[in-house]
Amino acid sequence: MMVRVSATVENVSVIGTGYLGATHAACMAELGFNVVGVDIDPEKITSLSAGDLPFHEPGLPELIRKHVTGGKLRFTTNLDEVGAWADVHFIAVGTPQVRGGTGADMTYVDTATTDLARAITKDALIVGKSTVPVGTAARLADLIAETKHPEVNLSLAWNPEFLREGFAVEDTLTPDRLVIGTTNTHDEDTLRSVYAEALDRDTPWISTDYQTAELVKVAANAFLATKISFINAFAEVTETVGGDITTLADAIGHDTRIGRKFLNAGVGFGGGCLPKDIRALQTRVAELGLDHSMRFLDEVDQINLRRRKKTVALAFDTLDQDVIGKKIAVLGITFKPLSDDVRDSPGLDVAARLFNAGADVAIYDPQGNHNAAKRYPRITYNDTLNEAVTGAELVILTTEWDEFKTLTPEDLNHKVTTRRIIDARNVLNPHHWENAGWTFTQLGRQSPHD
Ligand SMILES: NC(=O)c1ccc[n+]([C@@H]2O[C@H](COP(=O)([O-])OP(=O)(O)OC[C@H]3O[C@@H](n4cnc5c(N)ncnc54)[C@H](O)[C@@H]3O)[C@@H](O)[C@H]2O)c1
C-alpha cells in the first residue's frame, strides 16, 4: 500500500476504540499517520495495547499488531496526551438507543467532545464519525466553542462512517464514498489530505453541510432496513397464500433499479446500527414536528420484529406447541456472520424467547457465544456445532455463517433425536433435507410437499 501523509496532518487521535474506532485507528496507521486511540474502558486499552482485539473482525488483529509493533499506533485512556499532540481528532464513541426510549443516547458523544475540547492545547480539527441525530454537529460546534481554550483554533467536521462489520478493514481502506460535512474549505482541505489515498483512486467525495452529512448515514441505514422489511412483508403474504419468497426476490432483483442485495427474506435485521438508527431517526424527526415523514419506519421496525416472533411460532408449531424441556439447537446468535456482535440480534432474541418458554436451548455460534453469555448467562452455549445438535429435537439456523450454509442432512442425521429444522435465513436447499426425511421449514417459502 502506498503511504502518503500530507504535510500538515501527521498525528491523528481516535476517541472511542470499539468496532468503529479501533478499525479507524488501525487503518489510519496503515495510511501512514501516527495514531493514538483513546477509550474510557481501561480493559479495552490494555488489550489493544498488547495487540489483542477485544472483539472479532477479520483482518483487524493483524493490522493492529503490525502498527502497535511498528510504533505507529498506540492506545491510552489519557485524553490530555492526544490534546497536546494530534492534528486531527476523530470521534467514534457509541450512540446507543437511550434506555427506556427510542432516541439516541448522546451522552457519550457530548462527554467525549467536551472533554476533548478542554484537553486540546494546539490548533486542530475534530471530526465526528459516530452516527448522530441531525442537528448534532451544529450543537457540538457551539459546545466546542464554549469549552475550548480561548487561544486554540478548533473546528468541527462531520464524516459519517459506512463500514460493515465483517468487512470493516476493507471498507475503511477502500470506502465506496466519502461524505464530509464542513463549514469551511480549510477543514475540507485538511480531510482531503487525510483521505488523499482514496481520492487518488477516484473515490467519490461528497462535500456538503453538517445536516446532509448526518442525514446521509441515517438515510442509508433507513433504506437498507426498509428493503429487508419490504421483502419480509411479502414473506408474510406468501406464508398465507402460498408462493416462494426467494423466487420472488430473485425475479424483482433482476430489475437493476431494484437490485437483489438486501432482499433476502428471513428472521430480519439486527445489530448495533440498523434498529437503533431507524428508531432514533423517527424520534428526531418527531422532535422537529415531522413525525409523519418517517412514520413508515415504525412499520419497517414492526415487520422486522414480527419475523422473530414468527420464527418462535414456527418452533412451537414444529414441536406440536410443546417446547418445555425439549432440546432446541440454535445455530448463530450474532446479528450477522463474520462478527461477534450480538446487539439486538434476531437469533439471540429467538433463542431467549424459546428459553423463557421452557425449552432446553443449546446455542452454538462460531464467534458470538462469549458476548451472548454476558447477556443471557443461563442459556447453554456450546463450543462446537456437534455438541449443540446432539440430541436436539429441533435445529434452528438463525445466522448464515458459512459453516451453517454448507450443512448437509448427512452432517446431522445421526446426531439429532428428531429430524426437524427451521432455516430462518433461507440458505439451505429444501429438497436435500426433505429427501433425507427432515421436517424442513423456511420463512416465506411453502414446503415443496405442502
Ligand atoms: N459498528 C459498526 O458497524 C458501525 C458502522 C458505522 C457507524 N457506526 C457508529 O459508530 C459509533 C460507534 O459504534 P461502535 O459499534 O464502534 O460502538 P462500540 O460500543 O463498539 O464502541 C464505542 C466505544 O466508545 C467508548 N467510549 C464511550 N465514551 C467514551 C469517551 N468519553 N471517551 C472515549 N471513549 C469512549 C466505549 O468505551 C466504547 O469502547 C456509533 O455511533 C455507531 O452507530 C458503527
Side-chain angles (χ1 to χ4, degrees):
M1 170 160 301
M2 182 183 70
V3 172
R4 204 176 116 167
V5 173
S6 87
T8 48
V9 179
E10 288 181 358
N11 301 334
V12 166
S13 87
V14 180
I15 317 299
T17 57
Y19 287 91
L20 163 58
T23 308
H24 196 69
C27 290
M28 285 290 115
E30 178 72 2
L31 292 175
F33 298 101
N34 304 311
V35 184
V36 173
V38 183
D39 205 287
I40 48 170
D41 179 345
E43 269 179 40
K44 206 169 260 187
I45 291 302
T46 305
S47 97
L48 287 166
S49 301
D52 295 329
L53 189 63
F55 54 88
H56 179 75
E57 182 58 48
L60 188 54
E62 294 79 358
L63 206 59
I64 289 183
R65 258 174 246 134
K66 173 179 165 190
H67 292 298
V68 167
T69 311
K72 282 226 151 284
L73 177 60
R74 287 189 300 115
F75 294 94
T76 180
T77 52
N78 184 358
L79 256 188
D80 291 335
E81 251 181 66
V82 298
W85 173 82
D87 308 300
V88 174
H89 303 267
F90 288 97
I91 297 200
V93 301
T95 47
Q97 190 169 326
V98 75
R99 251 172 214 276
T102 49
D105 182 348
M106 295 305 295
T107 52
Y108 304 100
V109 168
D110 289 4
T111 306
T113 307
T114 41
D115 288 353
L116 178 65
R118 256 184 228 116
I120 293 178
T121 52
K122 71 179 255 195
D123 294 356
L125 175 64
I126 300 177
V127 184
K129 289 202 77 65
S130 304
T131 304
V132 294
V134 63
T136 299
R139 185 175 61 76
L140 292 178
D142 290 344
L143 215 53
I144 291 167
E146 285 163 24
T147 322
K148 73 179 186 67
H149 293 277
E151 69 283 7
V152 172
N153 291 311
L154 272 190
S155 60
L156 178 73
W158 214 262
N159 167 216
E161 179 58 55
F162 302 99
L163 68 80
R164 298 160 300 165
E165 286 179 22
F167 304 90
V169 171
E170 182 190 326
D171 288 349
T172 307
L173 290 174
T174 54
D176 51 13
R177 79 284 212 193
L178 285 157
V179 176
I180 310 288
T182 52
T183 53
N184 61 73
T185 50
H186 179 265
D187 293 346
E188 188 188 339
D189 289 345
T190 304
L191 282 169
R192 278 183 182 276
S193 67
V194 168
Y195 292 120
E197 194 173 304
L199 283 171
D200 282 349
R201 281 191 312 271
D202 292 331
T203 305
W205 177 265
I206 294 125
S207 169
T208 184
D209 47 60
Y210 285 161
Q211 294 89 331
T212 310
E214 293 164 331
L215 282 170
V216 167
K217 174 63 191 175
V218 287
N221 278 357
F223 189 83
L224 295 173
T226 302
K227 211 171 166 190
I228 296 170
S229 281
F230 177 88
I231 201 67
N232 278 332
F234 275 88
E236 292 185 332
V237 177
T238 54
E239 276 157 15
T240 302
V241 301
D244 185 327
I245 197 65
T246 304
T247 307
L248 187 152
D250 291 344
I252 63 171
H254 283 300
D255 184 333
T256 51
R257 293 170 304 176
I258 296 173
R260 181 63 177 81
K261 288 183 179 163
F262 277 70
L263 277 186
N264 292 324
V267 68
F269 59 80
C273 292
L274 257 52
K276 61 110 175 150
D277 287 350
I278 60 169
R279 292 169 198 153
L281 175 56
Q282 289 175 80
T283 307
R284 180 61 184 140
V285 297
E287 281 167 11
L288 298 166
L290 296 168
D291 44 333
H292 50 274
S293 303
M294 296 293 156
R295 199 173 289 150
F296 71 97
L297 288 177
D298 187 43
E299 200 48 48
V300 166
D301 202 4
Q302 295 311 318
I303 293 165
N304 191 53
L305 296 175
R306 283 204 298 273
R307 293 288 79 190
R308 302 175 185 190
K309 290 188 192 147
K310 175 71 183 178
T311 305
V312 172
L314 286 174
F316 270 82
D317 290 348
T318 310
L319 294 170
D320 300 325
Q321 309 307 324
D322 178 17
V323 300
I324 294 176
K326 294 196 174 152
K327 179 165 179 181
I328 301 178
V330 175
L331 304 183
I333 37 86
T334 52
F335 83 99
K336 64 187 262 186
L338 297 176
S339 173
D340 63 354
D341 196 342
V342 300
R343 291 179 284 188
D344 213 335
S345 158
L348 187 56
D349 192 21
V350 167
R353 284 168 190 261
L354 289 169
F355 176 78
N356 288 334
D360 171 17
V361 173
I363 287 176
Y364 167 67
D365 188 283
Q367 295 293 339
N369 284 1
H370 179 67
N371 281 339
K374 285 190 231 160
R375 180 107 200 273
Y376 296 106
R378 291 190 303 130
I379 306 183
T380 304
Y381 297 89
N382 294 114
D383 292 335
T384 62
L385 181 131
N386 202 17
E387 285 170 87
V389 298
T390 298
E393 297 187 50
L394 170 65
V395 175
I396 311 181
L397 191 165
T398 37
T399 309
E400 67 278 31
W401 287 91
D402 278 347
E403 192 179 337
F404 306 149
K405 276 163 57 177
T406 53
L407 272 179
T408 64
E410 293 67 41
D411 295 326
L412 304 187
N413 278 346
H414 302 293
K415 293 174 185 151
V416 297
T417 301
T418 325
R419 295 183 182 184
R420 303 181 185 115
I421 186 163
I422 298 171
D423 170 15
R425 290 291 177 183
N426 293 1
V427 289
L428 301 176
N429 184 321
H431 302 286
H432 293 168
W433 293 81
E434 298 219 333
N435 291 342
W438 284 71
T439 302
F440 183 88
T441 313
Q442 290 177 317
L443 294 172
R445 302 185 87 178
Q446 293 283 326
S447 152
H449 293 169
D450 282 350

